[in-house]
Amino acid sequence: MRSALPLLVLLPLGACADAAYQVPVVSPAAQAAASAEIQQGQAPVRRPLTDEQAKEAIARVARRLAPAGSAVCQDLGRQCAWRFVYDPSQELNAAATGEGDIIVQRGTAEYARNDDQMAFVIAHEMAHHAANHVRSTNTRAQLGAALGGVLASVIGSYAGLQADGLVQGAAGIGSQLAVISYSKAQEREADAIGATILHEAGYDVGEAREMLVALGRLSGQTRTSLLSTHPAGPDRVASFDAAVADMRAVNWQLSPQGVGRSVTPK
Ligand SMILES: [Zn+2]
């Protein structure tokens, strides 16, 4: 059992070759506080939107996030070319696949209270690409390849919409991808890098945290695939807080050498 003190522990990058950023260890007290916070509030209620309304909202957020996500990818030594796909399912879910594909389900727009909260879900998936999580296991690569065929046919038939930054997908493709699970460490890393993307795009990182708390409240009462593949408990909220404090302390600089060691400030 790792000591709870000091509260923030920056691990050297060498501790895990694949990690772009290692989220600090959080104290049991911070987890208990996050747990109480989740239990005290109401779970968000789905606000039904038409496909057109949801697509417009998701495209608006995706367009604003794309350059920020590319900048963060570059900081991490990667090139990311984004392609956003709309899935009309009413689930709060998003998934990353292929080289830079991100599928966003309608429920993401329906549960989010504002663009900042929606941006958190999308930025989290962009972060999985930025941190190279999508191709980091054979199983995931194989599943991605199998679904890539489905996606390619969908994208091919709606190619005209790509100029808007959002491709029309089929209901359920996001759910198929949701069976691809990441490690807890990768989820925390994606939250932290996602927060950096949000900051870069000018979104409110505090609202992103509200979305994580909301996901924690939903997980107690609703079955959504986002919650099964992206478990949202108090530990995730506490980790997010620690990571954001870390990022703020180094003025949100990421580099391939790890957080806070960027030699070429933006
Ligand atoms: Zn994730």
Side-chain angles (χ1 to χ4, degrees):
M1 190 70 190
R2 191 184 293 278
S3 162
L5 294 172
L7 192 59
L8 299 182
V9 181
L10 268 175
L11 300 175
L13 189 72
C16 175
D18 289 323
Y21 171 67
Q22 297 229 334
V23 175
V25 173
V26 298
S27 69
Q31 288 199 41
S35 178
E37 183 182 353
I38 288 170
Q39 281 167 22
Q40 275 159 19
Q42 297 288 314
V45 175
R46 190 177 143 260
R47 171 183 55 113
L49 296 174
T50 65
D51 275 330
E52 287 316 307
Q53 290 170 326
K55 270 197 267 191
E56 192 187 317
I58 293 166
R60 178 173 68 234
V61 172
R63 273 196 297 269
R64 185 164 151 188
L65 282 173
S70 296
V72 167
C73 280
Q74 213 154 27
D75 285 349
L76 295 172
R78 289 179 57 79
Q79 297 290 325
C80 298
W82 308 112
R83 189 166 58 177
F84 298 96
V85 181
Y86 174 74
D87 175 342
S89 306
Q90 294 177 2
E91 286 178 81
L92 201 186
N93 194 21
T97 188
E99 291 295 337
D101 293 334
I102 292 172
I103 301 167
V104 187
Q105 295 195 305
R106 175 164 68 181
T108 303
E110 294 178 319
Y111 278 100
R113 236 173 29 194
N114 48 48
D115 279 10
D116 306 84
Q117 293 194 354
M118 208 189 323
F120 170 70
V121 176
I122 300 172
H124 172 97
E125 297 303 330
M126 295 170 87
H128 278 311
H129 279 300
N132 205 18
H133 294 165
V134 179
R135 295 188 166 272
S136 64
T137 74
N138 280 340
T139 312
R140 195 169 296 142
Q142 283 162 10
L143 262 168
L147 286 160
V150 177
L151 208 54
S153 64
V154 166
I155 287 165
S157 57
Y158 290 95
L161 283 177
Q162 287 196 46
D164 295 328
L166 195 67
V167 177
Q168 171 71 53
I173 36 172
S175 300
Q176 291 178 62
L177 284 168
V179 301
I180 306 166
S181 62
Y182 300 98
S183 73
K184 210 169 172 181
Q186 286 177 323
E187 287 304 334
R188 289 171 174 188
E189 188 184 9
D191 283 343
I193 294 170
T196 307
I197 295 171
L198 294 177
H199 172 81
E200 179 88 20
Y203 281 114
D204 185 344
V205 174
E207 284 295 335
R209 184 187 186 281
E210 287 301 308
M211 189 60 168
L212 260 183
V213 172
L215 288 170
R217 288 172 182 156
L218 271 176
S219 70
Q221 57 169 243
T222 314
R223 280 194 312 124
T224 84
S225 42
L226 182 75
L227 300 171
S228 57
T229 53
H230 297 80
D235 56 331
R236 197 170 161 198
V237 173
S239 292
F240 184 80
D241 288 344
V244 166
D246 240 14
M247 298 291 191
R248 286 208 166 107
V250 296
N251 201 25
W252 299 91
Q253 297 296 313
L254 282 170
S255 79
Q257 286 73 46
V259 67
R261 297 185 203 170
S262 178
V263 286
T264 49
K266 286 189 293 282

